[in-house]
Amino acid sequence: MNRILFLSIFVGLTATTLHLPAAPQGTKGVEEFDPQAFPGKVVDDVVVPVPSEVFSVLDKLGEPNWRTELRKQELPTTSDRTKLSLLFGYTVAEGFVAVQAEDKEAVKDLGRDVISLAKSLGLSKSVLPHAQSILDAADKSNWSAIRKEFDQTQKTVRDTMEQMKDMDLSQCVSLGGWLRGTASVTSVVKKSFSADRAELLNQPMLVEHFVGKIEGMPAGTREHDVMRSIRKGLGSVLQQMEGAVDGFSKDAVSEIGKTCDGLLAEILAKK
């Protein structure tokens, strides 16, 4: 398997958990990260890691102010299942940021958003137990339990969609989460830039994987306005990654973040 450094923060394909100790601010935790040993699921020769595992890696980057990374956005009302699936991935990703920030009220709000989106997708029966567990754990500030439930929530939704033959929507959940996670981490890296930290964004194989999945979607999903924008945006992100032969510059990190932020704005647009 080719060696790459991964960051796909919120793509829940398995449920194993890796516990890594947090390194003090300024340490070179990234240099100690061995992508070959990173748990996850192999999809088309690309390791797609589990949200909780990636946060364990991010823990090694020090202690950024995760509260400043939270985005308290009102979700648009829509019956568009493609957009709902992207929003679901986004919301789970935001949930992980809220857990990192240890913001109890944000976690509760996002748990309620998860319930609302699951109802709109016709998946409330599968998701409600996880969402209720998130709300209960938030009352107790049980952050490890909340991480686990957010992880399981996304996995349950993906598995259920795949059982319903909605493979394209399952990929949309992953994409929504990946975009939100990448936007968050580019923000954190920019605020305390180093080449080692920026290298976490070096994941061209994973971006190519997503591009391939979009190209293989049914025309109705592939030609959706937001999905067309995501496909174009991923092409721009891939160019930045392939151009970082000698490592990422701060400007390159900024450009990746801007692209992700722009795509998230389209996902969250009230239209």
Side-chain angles (χ1 to χ4, degrees):
M1 183 184 301
N2 295 327
R3 290 178 63 87
I4 58 173
L5 288 173
F6 317 95
L7 155 54
S8 166
I9 292 206
F10 310 100
V11 186
L13 291 179
T14 64
T16 56
T17 303
L18 174 67
H19 299 286
L20 297 176
Q25 182 71 35
T27 59
K28 295 184 179 180
V30 178
E31 290 183 347
E32 300 163 7
F33 171 44
D34 178 6
Q36 290 280 39
F38 194 74
K41 183 170 181 176
V42 178
V43 180
D44 299 337
D45 202 33
V46 177
V47 174
V48 183
V50 179
S52 55
E53 294 166 351
V54 184
F55 267 110
S56 294
V57 173
L58 295 181
D59 286 342
K60 300 182 72 174
L61 299 184
E63 298 179 0
N65 184 353
W66 285 102
R67 284 181 180 261
T68 64
E69 304 304 326
L70 278 169
R71 302 181 182 180
K72 298 185 178 179
Q73 301 267 3
E74 182 179 348
L75 300 182
T77 301
T78 181
S79 59
D80 183 328
R81 287 178 64 79
T82 297
K83 196 162 185 178
L84 284 168
S85 300
L86 291 163
L87 286 166
F88 195 96
Y90 165 88
T91 301
V92 172
E94 191 70 19
F96 273 94
V97 178
V99 172
Q100 288 296 102
E102 297 190 355
D103 188 321
K104 183 186 297 187
E105 292 308 312
V107 167
K108 288 183 177 180
D109 288 344
L110 290 160
R112 287 186 280 268
D113 285 342
V114 163
I115 293 172
S116 177
L117 288 166
K119 287 180 179 177
S120 297
L121 285 164
L123 301 171
S124 56
K125 183 177 179 180
S126 299
V127 170
L128 191 58
H130 294 306
Q132 189 59 54
S133 294
I134 288 169
L135 297 176
D136 293 343
D139 281 330
K140 301 173 185 176
S141 298
N142 187 343
W143 305 112
S144 62
I146 297 169
R147 279 192 185 196
K148 179 180 178 182
E149 290 300 334
F150 269 122
D151 218 7
Q152 285 293 315
T153 299
Q154 181 150 312
K155 181 180 186 299
T156 295
V157 167
R158 285 181 51 90
D159 287 350
T160 304
M161 285 179 166
E162 289 171 12
Q163 289 167 11
M164 296 167 63
K165 308 303 181 184
D166 282 335
M167 298 292 290
D168 54 325
L169 298 184
S170 174
Q171 288 296 322
C172 288
V173 172
S174 294
L175 278 164
W178 182 83
L179 288 168
R180 177 63 188 101
T182 303
S184 179
V185 176
T186 54
S187 176
V188 169
V189 170
K190 281 191 302 179
K191 290 173 182 175
S192 182
F193 181 82
S194 75
D196 292 330
R197 291 160 69 90
E199 189 63 18
L200 279 172
L201 292 164
N202 188 18
Q203 45 177 321
M205 287 178 64
L206 186 52
V207 176
E208 288 174 351
H209 166 77
F210 281 134
V211 169
K213 289 298 182 182
I214 292 173
E215 291 176 347
M217 288 178 178
T221 305
R222 187 178 65 249
E223 297 302 321
H224 188 289
D225 287 347
V226 177
M227 293 304 295
R228 290 173 68 179
S229 294
I230 290 174
R231 170 63 183 85
K232 183 178 179 181
L234 290 177
S236 298
V237 169
L238 188 58
Q239 282 187 332
Q240 292 291 340
M241 292 179 180
E242 290 177 339
V245 178
D246 298 319
F248 283 95
S249 65
K250 190 172 182 179
D251 285 345
V253 172
S254 180
E255 285 302 313
I256 292 173
K258 285 179 183 177
T259 298
C260 292
D261 284 336
L263 295 174
L264 290 170
E266 287 197 47
I267 293 170
L268 290 162
K270 293 178 169 37
K271 63 178 181 178

